[in-house]
């Protein structure tokens, strides 16, 4: 069910997930020292940019906010459902079977290979290598 959640209408990116999207005028357009336009041109460009950006952003959100919210809500619901009801149980099933396979493999190694390798290690333990420089 839909739950009532208090949302922050001032800080709309509390987790800073969109820090890479800097679209303020001073983040996009900047005149370095020695390349300044007239103050009235700079001020007019600032107002024009800000108004156009604000209008276009608001228009795009009005036109697409609800349909995209529905799409994203359904997509994340699907991802949650798939993860909870399919992936997690399959992983648990896999890990349980891996535990059984690990015990079987370990028992086979200890019963069959370990005695052979220990015997070979005893055979080769008395070999001494010396450097004959002369």
């Amino acid at each position: 069910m839909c739950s009532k959640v208090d949302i922050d209408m001032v800080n709309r990116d509390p987790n800073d997930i969109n820090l890479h999207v800097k679209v303020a005028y001073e983040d996009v357009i900047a005149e370095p020292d020695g390349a300044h336009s007239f103050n009235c041109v700079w001020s007019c460009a600032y107002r024009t940019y800000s108004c156009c950006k604000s209008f276009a952003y608001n228009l795009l959100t009005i036109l697409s906010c609800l349909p995209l919210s529905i799409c994203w809500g359904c997509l994340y619901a699907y991802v949650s459902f798939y993860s909870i009801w399919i992936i997690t149980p399959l992983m648990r099933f896999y890990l349980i079977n891996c535990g059984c396979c690990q015990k079987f493999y370990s028992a086979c190694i200890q019963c069959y290979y370990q005695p052979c390798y220990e015997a070979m290690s005893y055979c080769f333990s008395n070999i001494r290598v010396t450097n004959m420089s002369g």
Side-chain angles (χ1 to χ4, degrees):
M1 295 299 261
C2 294
S3 61
K4 185 177 179 184
V5 177
D6 293 328
I7 59 173
D8 187 354
M9 297 302 287
V10 176
N11 184 11
R12 296 187 184 188
D13 190 8
N15 297 326
D16 295 329
I17 61 172
N18 285 314
L19 286 177
H20 63 285
V21 184
K22 290 190 172 193
V23 292
Y25 186 74
E26 56 274 0
D27 294 324
V28 177
I29 300 173
E31 290 182 332
D33 290 337
H36 284 194
S37 60
F38 295 113
N39 289 343
C40 63
V41 172
W42 183 256
S43 177
C44 184
Y46 172 79
R47 285 193 300 272
T48 303
Y49 173 87
S50 298
C51 289
C52 288
K53 178 187 67 88
S54 180
F55 174 76
Y57 182 78
N58 287 325
L59 180 65
L60 288 169
T61 56
I62 288 170
L63 296 176
S64 61
C65 181
L66 292 177
L68 285 174
S69 295
I70 292 169
C71 290
W72 288 118
C74 290
L75 180 67
Y76 280 99
Y78 172 75
V79 168
S80 298
F81 170 82
Y82 190 75
S83 178
I84 292 167
W85 290 99
I86 297 173
I87 298 296
T88 302
L90 280 176
M91 286 301 296
R92 183 73 177 143
F93 176 78
Y94 177 75
L95 291 173
I96 289 170
N97 284 311
C98 283
C100 293
C101 292
Q102 181 184 12
K103 288 178 184 176
F104 176 75
Y105 180 75
S106 177
C108 288
I109 295 293
Q110 288 175 355
C111 290
Y112 301 115
Y113 294 111
Q114 188 174 355
C116 294
Y117 291 128
E118 284 180 9
M120 290 174 61
S121 71
Y122 289 134
C123 291
F124 295 115
S125 65
N126 289 326
I127 295 177
R128 303 276 186 253
V129 177
T130 57
N131 188 1
M132 304 273 296
S133 59

